[in-house]
Amino acid sequence: MRILLIEDDTILGAAVRDQINADGHCVDWVKRLDIAADYANNAAYDLVLLDLMLPDGRGIGFLRNLRAKGDVTPVIILSALDQVSDRIEGLDAGADDYMIKPFDLSELSSRLKAVARRYAGNPNPLIEIGDLQIDLASRSIRRNGKNIGLTAREWVLYEAFLQRPGQLMSKAQLEERLYSFSTDVDSNTIEVHVSRLRKKLGHGAIDTVRGVGYRLGTTP
């Protein structure tokens, strides 16, 4: 996933960013709501992690503005505000989850995956495609009982296709999911990752539509 992290605490923000990167996701980290709004207007995010107390305002207003515009991007609030009334306000404003600081980073990872599965329309973490058995929760793929190892980038790319079966995705869309704004991307990066996935999963795992993009294959 490509994730927008809005958090002004430097230590916590760095820890969350590193955890997200270790899970194989792409993250843009900002510390102000005005910058967050610019980022959200210029990139398609799969999920937003939102602090409620920022230097230039309350995160709840940012969330309400998102929902008022019809933006359904999943949002998880990360806040030290621990009253029941605070949680109710956040959820009523359109948040999908609410985590109280301090929290365990491994729990954050699990909640990210759970929200992503719900929005992908597949709350069941187990998927079968041909002879592949895919476990979204553990990020593992098996064929005939044998594990197929993917790198973090390869998994994120394949997961992008799993979340949108049958939908064509352009190189630009895939690059957005894999890399943050600050990353330089080689022109053939997506082709290289797709080629490696086909070697591991089977040539039919990903279909190419020339000049348009890629989509999930049905016969690995």
Side-chain angles (χ1 to χ4, degrees):
M1 294 185 290
R2 184 169 187 174
I3 297 171
L4 177 60
L5 169 62
I6 310 170
E7 171 61 64
D8 65 323
D9 185 297
T10 301
I11 295 176
L12 177 61
V16 172
R17 177 202 58 199
D18 293 346
Q19 179 74 16
I20 293 171
N21 284 333
D23 286 340
H25 304 300
C26 167
V27 59
D28 290 314
W29 174 24
V30 300
K31 301 177 182 179
R32 294 178 57 90
L33 292 171
D34 54 354
I35 301 174
D38 288 340
Y39 274 50
N41 288 332
N42 288 284
Y45 289 99
D46 298 291
L47 190 140
V48 176
L49 295 176
L50 175 65
D51 186 15
L52 291 184
M53 305 300 291
L54 283 304
D56 57 336
R58 295 190 68 221
I60 204 75
F62 177 87
L63 173 57
R64 287 181 174 136
N65 287 336
L66 277 185
R67 298 304 186 233
K69 293 187 297 184
D71 191 324
V72 297
T73 303
V75 175
I76 298 178
I77 290 175
L78 310 178
S79 178
L81 300 176
D82 60 357
Q83 298 300 307
V84 172
S85 58
D86 297 318
R87 300 198 295 274
I88 290 174
E89 182 183 29
L91 295 170
D92 284 349
D96 297 87
D97 203 348
Y98 193 113
M99 296 189 69
I100 297 172
K101 302 175 184 176
F103 49 80
D104 188 271
L105 292 173
S106 60
E107 181 183 358
L108 174 62
S109 293
S110 293
R111 296 205 189 195
L112 290 176
K113 288 185 284 188
V115 170
R117 289 197 303 270
R118 290 202 301 270
Y119 272 77
N122 184 19
N124 183 356
L126 302 176
I127 300 174
E128 288 195 12
I129 300 178
D131 59 355
L132 297 178
Q133 296 82 47
I134 304 159
D135 189 330
L136 297 176
S138 65
R139 291 186 150 198
S140 63
I141 302 178
R142 301 174 71 84
R143 175 187 283 126
N144 299 325
K146 295 182 179 179
N147 187 63
I148 300 174
L150 300 185
T151 66
R153 293 286 188 202
E154 289 167 354
W155 173 262
V156 172
L157 183 62
Y158 191 52
E159 188 178 45
F161 295 116
L162 291 171
Q163 291 175 347
R164 294 167 174 80
Q167 179 179 326
L168 279 168
M169 301 185 70
S170 68
K171 279 180 59 176
Q173 288 175 313
L174 294 170
E175 286 172 354
E176 271 199 356
R177 289 180 63 92
L178 288 174
Y179 301 101
S180 62
F181 280 124
S182 60
T183 305
D184 293 326
V185 183
D186 293 336
S187 60
N188 68 335
T189 296
I190 297 301
E191 287 89 343
V192 170
H193 285 313
V194 168
S195 176
R196 290 173 178 169
L197 279 173
R198 285 171 172 160
K199 288 180 181 178
K200 293 181 178 182
L201 304 180
H203 186 76
I206 300 172
D207 294 332
T208 300
V209 178
R210 292 191 179 279
V212 181
Y214 304 90
R215 65 187 170 200
L216 182 68
T218 57
T219 56

